[in-house]
C-alpha cells in the first residue's frame, strides 16, 4: 500500500520525514531504562536550573569552594551516597553502589570560579568580590564550572534513582581549583582514590563555540602540557656608554627569546604542536645603565610525556650555550606543570556511539582539534583511561562569548542534555565493561 502525497509536493519528502520520525522515535529512548532516565532528567531540570543559578550567583575561587562543596556534599548525602570530603580542602566524592556487579567508573566536575568581574545581564549575575594579589576583583563562573557541578549532581540524582539497574560503582568527583592550583592532582595525592579506584573517568567541559545539543570531541590529545621556565641572566652591570665593560643581560636575553622561536621552527616538526612564549621579560631601570640582571618567564606547550622531556633538554641546552658564549651567569628553573589531557581512543569511540544515539544524530557530534590550553582532568587519565567531552552551551539567541570573558553566557538547556547523556554514557560503559570482564 502506498500513500499519495498532496498535489505539488513530492512524495519522497513525506517518505523521508516519516522515516526520520520513525527512526528517531524507534532509536531513542528505546529501552525502559532509557525512558526512565529521560523522564527523571526532565523532572529534575527545574531544580537543577535553580542550583546552577545559586552556584553562579555565589562563585568561589580555587581552594575556597566551601559553600559550593557544602551544597554538593549535602546533595550527595540526601541521595544516600557514601560521601567523603576534605580532599584538597574542598574536594568531595560521592560513591554510588549499583545493584548489579561491575567495575568502578567516575564522573568529574570542577567547582572553582575565576577572578573576573561579571558583566552579563542575567538576574543571577555574580556580585561577589575578592582580593587577589592585593587588588579587589569580582569573582565569576566564567568557565562554566557552575554548569559542570550542576550536571554532576544531576547525574548522581538520576543514577541513584535507577541504582538497582546500575552495574558496579559510580564515583562522583567534585574537584576544587582547576583554574589555579591543580586540584585534581591534590585530590589524588591526598588519597581520594586509594581504596575506590575507577577503571574509567568521564567529564565535560562547556564549549563556547557549539550550541546546546552538540558535543565536541577529540580522540587522543585534547589539551597541552602546561610547562614553563624562569630564567635569570646575571652580570656585574656597567655604564651604558661602555657596554664592553660587562656582559649585557638584556642582549643575552633578547638573543635567547629569538633563538627559542628559531628552535621551534627548525628543530620540531610542524606536526609536533610546540609553542614557546616568553611572556615576561624584565631588566634594567635607566637608559644609560646595563643592569646586573634580566629575568625572563615563558610558557611551553606541547603534547605527551616524551615531547615535554625533549623540549626541556633542548631549551636547557640552548640557554646554557648562549649564556656561556656571552660569559653570562644564569639560573634556569624549568617546571613541568599540568600534563596534556589524553582522551583514550577506545573509551571515546564507545561513548560517542552512546552520544550519537542519545543526541539523535551523528551531526550532533563535532570532531575538534586539540587545544594548546591546559586542563587538569589529565591527572585522572594517569590513573585509568579517561575522556572529556565539550558540551555545547552557546545560547540560541546570542552570539558566542568566550569562556574567561566577563560576558560569558551559557545556555542552561545544555544541563539536562548533559545529564541525560552522561547517565547513558556511564550505564552503557558499565554494562559493556561488566560483560567484557565476564568473558
Ligand atoms: Zn577555565
Ligand atoms: Zn574550565
Amino acid at each position: 500500500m502506498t500513500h499519495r502525497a498532496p498535489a505539488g509536493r513530492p512524495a519522497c519528502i513525506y517518505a523521508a520525514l516519516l522515516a526520520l520520525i520513525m527512526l528517531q522515535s524507534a532509536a531513542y529512548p528505546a529501552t525502559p531504562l532509557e525512558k526512565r532516565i529521560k523522564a527523571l532528567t526532565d523532572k529534575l531540570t527545574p531544580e537543577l536550573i535553580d542550583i546552577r543559578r545559586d552556584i553562579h550567583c555565589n562563585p568561589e575561587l580555587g581552594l575556597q569552594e566551601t559553600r559550593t562543596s557544602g551544597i554538593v556534599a549535602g546533595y550527595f548525602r540526601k541521595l544516600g551516597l557514601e560521601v567523603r570530603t576534605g580532599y584538597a580542602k574542598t574536594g568531595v566524592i560521592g560513591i554510588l553502589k549499583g545493584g548489579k556487579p561491575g567495575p568502578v567508573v567516575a564522573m568529574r566536575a570542577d567547582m572553582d570560579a575565576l577572578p573576573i568581574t561579571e558583566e552579563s545581564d542575567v538576574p543571577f549575575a555574580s556580585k561577589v568580590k575578592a582580593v587577589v594579589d592585593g587588588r579587589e576583583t569580582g569573582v565569576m563562573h566564567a568557565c562554566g564550572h557552575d554548569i559542570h557541578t550542576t550536571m554532576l549532581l544531576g547525574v548522581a540524582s538520576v543514577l541513584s534513582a535507577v541504582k538497582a539497574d546500575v552495574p558496579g560503582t559510580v564515583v562522583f568527583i567534585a574537584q576544587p581549583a582547576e583554574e589555579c592550583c591543580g586540584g585534581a592532582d591534590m585530590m589524588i595525592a591526598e588519597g581520594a582514590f586509594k581504596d575506590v579506584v575507577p577503571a574509567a573517568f568521564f567529564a565535560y567541559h562547556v564549549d563556547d563555540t557549539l550550541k546546546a545539543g552538540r558535543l565536541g570531541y577529540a580522540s587522543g590529545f585534547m589539551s597541552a602540557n602546561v610547562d614553563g621556565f624562569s630564567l635569570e641572566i646575571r652580570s656585574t652591570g656597567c655604564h651604558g656608554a661602555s657596554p664592553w665593560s660587562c656582559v649585557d643581560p638584556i642582549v643575552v636575553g633578547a638573543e635567547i627569546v629569538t633563538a627559542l622561536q628559531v628552535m621551534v621552527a627548525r628543530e620540531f616538526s610542524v606536526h609536533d604542536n610546540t609553542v614557546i612564549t616568553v611572556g615576561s621579560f624584565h631588566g634594567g631601570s635607566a637608559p644609560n645603565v646595563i643592569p646586573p640582571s634580566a629575568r625572563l618567564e615563558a610558557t611551553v606547550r606541547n603534547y605527551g610525556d616524551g615531547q615535554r622531556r625533549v623540549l626541556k633538554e633542548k631549551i636547557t641546552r640552548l640557554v646554557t650555550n648562549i649564556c656561556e658564549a656571552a660569559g653570562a651567569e644564569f639560573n634556569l628553573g624549568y617546571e613541568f606543570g599540568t600534563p596534556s589531557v589524553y582522551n583514550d581512543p577506545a573509551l571515546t569511540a564507545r561513548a560517542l556511539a552512546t552520544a550519537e544515539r542519545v543526541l539523535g544524530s551523528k551531526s550532533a557530534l563535532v570532531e575538534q582539534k586539540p587545544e594548546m590550553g591546559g586542563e587538569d582532568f589529565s591527572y585522572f587519565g594517569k590513573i585509568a583511561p579517561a575522556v572529556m567531552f565539550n558540551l555545547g552551551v552557546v545560547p540560541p539567541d546570542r552570539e558566542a562569548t568566550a569562556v574567561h570573558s566577563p560576558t560569558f553566557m551559557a545556555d542552561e538547556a545544555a544541563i539536562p542534555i548533559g545529564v541525560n547523556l552522561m547517565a547513558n554514557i556511564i550505564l552503557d560503559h558499565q554494562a559493556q565493561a561488566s560483560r567484557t570482564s565476564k568473558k
Side-chain angles (χ1 to χ4, degrees):
M1 209 166 117
T2 54
H3 288 277
R4 259 183 75 89
R9 306 234 173 118
C12 61
I13 291 179
Y14 288 91
L17 269 175
L18 188 66
L20 188 69
I21 291 162
M22 286 175 66
L23 189 74
Q24 285 189 335
S25 57
Y28 175 81
T31 67
L33 187 56
E34 283 176 346
K35 284 177 186 159
R36 277 176 71 203
I37 287 168
K38 179 80 175 61
L40 284 161
T41 305
D42 290 347
K43 193 165 163 239
L44 193 62
T45 301
E47 184 190 335
L48 292 180
I49 302 288
D50 285 348
I51 292 171
R52 183 266 163 157
R53 291 181 182 187
D54 179 51
I55 294 174
H56 188 89
C57 202
N58 295 281
E60 295 167 303
L61 294 171
L63 302 179
Q64 301 169 32
E65 309 92 334
T66 45
R67 183 180 185 277
T68 312
S69 124
I71 292 170
V72 172
Y75 198 90
F76 284 170
R77 281 195 191 99
K78 262 207 276 182
L79 294 174
L81 306 189
E82 179 189 334
V83 181
R84 301 180 185 179
T85 59
Y87 299 109
K89 293 194 177 167
T90 59
V92 181
I93 61 174
I95 301 168
L96 172 68
K97 295 244 159 62
K100 295 180 174 178
V104 182
V105 66
M107 175 185 178
R108 171 272 206 173
D110 39 13
M111 298 185 288
D112 55 323
L114 286 155
I116 293 174
T117 303
E118 181 157 1
E119 291 175 16
S120 75
D121 53 8
V122 293
F124 52 92
S126 162
K127 307 259 185 302
V128 173
K129 302 247 181 273
V131 175
V132 176
D133 294 335
R135 277 184 301 151
E136 192 181 71
T137 169
V139 182
M140 176 188 178
H141 269 297
C143 201
H145 299 186
D146 51 338
I147 304 270
H148 304 167
T149 303
T150 304
M151 291 191 293
L152 185 81
L153 302 185
V155 178
S157 174
V158 167
L159 290 183
S160 295
V162 298
K163 73 175 175 188
D165 291 311
V166 175
T169 300
V170 188
V171 180
F172 297 95
I173 308 163
Q175 176 213 308
E178 186 278 328
E179 299 283 0
C180 69
C181 329
D185 193 27
M186 288 168 75
M187 283 188 82
I188 294 165
E190 290 178 21
F193 310 104
K194 249 186 190 149
D195 59 336
V196 191
V197 188
F201 289 85
F202 293 100
Y204 285 125
H205 201 291
V206 296
D207 189 297
D208 57 9
T209 65
L210 301 175
K211 301 269 185 206
R214 305 192 85 194
L215 189 76
Y217 70 94
S219 187
F221 289 115
M222 181 196 197
S223 74
N225 295 318
V226 183
D227 301 337
F229 65 84
S230 60
L231 171 66
E232 190 182 17
I233 304 162
R234 291 194 308 277
S235 160
T236 53
C238 61
H239 199 295
S242 50
W244 55 85
S245 310
C246 69
V247 172
D248 186 339
I250 291 181
V251 170
V252 175
E255 200 178 339
I256 288 171
V257 172
T258 310
L260 286 169
Q261 302 315 310
V262 174
M263 187 182 88
V264 170
R266 285 295 170 266
E267 294 190 39
F268 290 95
S269 157
V270 290
H271 305 293
D272 279 345
N273 302 299
T274 300
V275 170
I276 303 175
T277 295
V278 179
S280 167
F281 189 157
H282 292 280
S285 54
N288 60 350
V289 176
I290 292 180
S293 69
R295 187 175 174 81
L296 283 69
E297 288 179 323
T299 188
V300 180
R301 307 292 173 107
N302 55 99
Y303 299 119
D305 291 344
Q307 185 76 342
R308 74 194 321 195
R309 279 195 295 273
V310 170
L311 264 155
K312 182 185 176 185
E313 256 173 54
K314 282 180 181 279
I315 288 171
T316 305
R317 187 200 66 203
L318 181 145
V319 166
T320 305
N321 288 342
I322 290 178
C323 286
E324 279 182 356
E329 304 269 305
F330 69 97
N331 275 338
L332 175 65
Y334 200 99
E335 271 188 29
F336 289 145
T338 305
S340 42
V341 169
Y342 182 76
N343 284 336
D344 181 79
L347 197 65
T348 307
R350 284 203 299 274
L352 284 174
T354 303
E356 184 179 337
R357 187 180 83 244
V358 173
L359 298 178
S361 104
K362 204 170 191 145
S363 63
L365 312 179
V366 181
E367 186 169 12
Q368 297 175 317
K369 287 196 163 48
E371 294 171 8
M372 298 313 289
E375 163 61 66
D376 76 354
F377 178 65
S378 53
Y379 286 106
F380 298 111
K382 304 279 180 198
I383 299 174
V387 58
M388 168 176 269
F389 288 111
N390 288 327
L391 189 72
V393 293
V394 176
D397 52 343
R398 292 184 187 242
E399 290 286 300
T401 45
V403 290
H404 290 216
S405 92
T407 52
F408 173 66
M409 179 90 56
D411 184 0
E412 291 171 331
I415 293 172
I417 293 169
V419 168
N420 187 44
L421 175 59
M422 187 57 81
N424 279 283
I425 285 176
I426 288 173
L427 282 172
D428 283 2
H429 172 79
Q430 289 300 84
Q432 183 163 10
S434 33
R435 274 199 304 273
T436 315
S437 67
K438 270 184 221 149
K439 278 180 189 166

